[in-house]
Amino acid sequence: MAEREDVVLTRDVNVITVPEGNTTTLTKGAIVTIHQALGNNYTVVTDYGHMVRIASEDADALGKESHQLHTLVTETSAEAVEQNCWEVMKTIYDPEIPVNIVDLGLVYYCNAKPSEVYTDQNNVHVIMTLTAPGCGMGPVIQGDVEKSIRALPGVDKVEVEVVLDPPWSREMMSEVAQLQLGLY
């Protein structure tokens, strides 16, 4: 989203502070500026200058509609599930950076393998990192990945492992991301 938009909250809404990752509530009538509306969440700045994230399911408080994630492949083979995992992770954004976590280089590995318990189901293992150790939004982004993958067809179990070695660096970003951020 290139243009900022001021909105008045139509109801109380639970938010996550950025970059700390703490939960709090903004009250009905508060004025916020939409900073980023990418992926499945909104990053807004309060009238006090605090940056917070509002989940898609609370988009109505902003006068917006909830984003709907869709899958590109409805098959439940391990290959199709893995493809869907990569696609859904491309809809997850760092709330401070307008680049998805895949192009940002935060996802190191994703593998789907057939479940030992259920036919037509798969277990998914993701290894990812953070832009900085101790990032308060790390558990939030990790949770977004797990929740989004768990909602895909053909998924039984999801494990999202956060590692700090190797450490993330901007060289891990795709060319598209570097161009988008003016770094290339």
Side-chain angles (χ1 to χ4, degrees):
M1 166 175 260
E3 206 171 302
R4 306 286 195 262
E5 178 185 357
D6 291 336
V7 294
V8 177
L9 294 177
T10 60
R11 64 175 176 80
D12 290 356
V13 63
N14 293 325
V15 298
I16 298 174
T17 61
V18 178
E20 300 86 4
N22 299 322
T23 57
T24 189
T25 303
L26 293 181
T27 57
K28 176 181 178 177
I31 299 170
V32 297
T33 302
I34 298 176
H35 176 72
Q36 180 172 288
L38 299 169
N40 205 30
N41 300 293
Y42 294 86
T43 302
V44 302
V45 178
T46 69
D47 52 355
Y48 293 106
H50 299 119
M51 186 176 281
V52 299
R53 189 181 90 156
I54 297 176
S56 179
E57 52 266 16
D58 291 318
D60 64 296
L62 295 166
K64 306 291 181 187
E65 291 191 22
S66 178
H67 297 133
Q68 296 298 316
L69 295 178
H70 65 282
T71 55
L72 300 177
V73 179
T74 57
E75 297 173 39
T76 58
S77 69
E79 296 79 18
V81 167
E82 191 171 313
Q83 178 183 344
N84 277 345
C85 289
W86 283 106
E87 291 303 317
V88 79
M89 286 188 289
K90 289 180 183 177
T91 69
I92 299 170
Y93 288 76
D94 182 301
E96 296 176 283
I97 306 170
V99 176
N100 70 67
I101 64 170
V102 172
D103 286 333
L104 198 53
L106 297 181
V107 181
Y108 291 163
Y109 172 86
C110 177
N111 179 263
K113 66 179 183 179
S115 169
E116 295 174 2
V117 179
Y118 302 103
T119 53
D120 291 340
Q121 295 288 303
N122 297 274
N123 297 330
V124 177
H125 182 212
V126 174
I127 299 175
M128 63 177 289
T129 193
L130 307 172
T131 55
C135 172
M137 291 303 291
V140 175
I141 295 170
Q142 180 183 12
D144 288 347
V145 171
E146 184 177 335
K147 178 182 172 186
S148 296
I149 291 174
R150 190 175 305 284
L152 294 171
V155 173
D156 178 27
K157 294 181 182 173
V158 180
E159 178 188 2
V160 180
E161 181 181 354
V162 175
V163 299
L164 299 175
D165 190 29
W168 178 85
S169 68
R170 72 181 216 188
E171 290 77 30
M172 294 175 167
M173 293 191 302
S174 69
E175 277 188 43
V176 171
Q178 290 185 36
L179 282 171
Q180 191 175 356
L181 295 174
L183 302 173
Y184 195 68

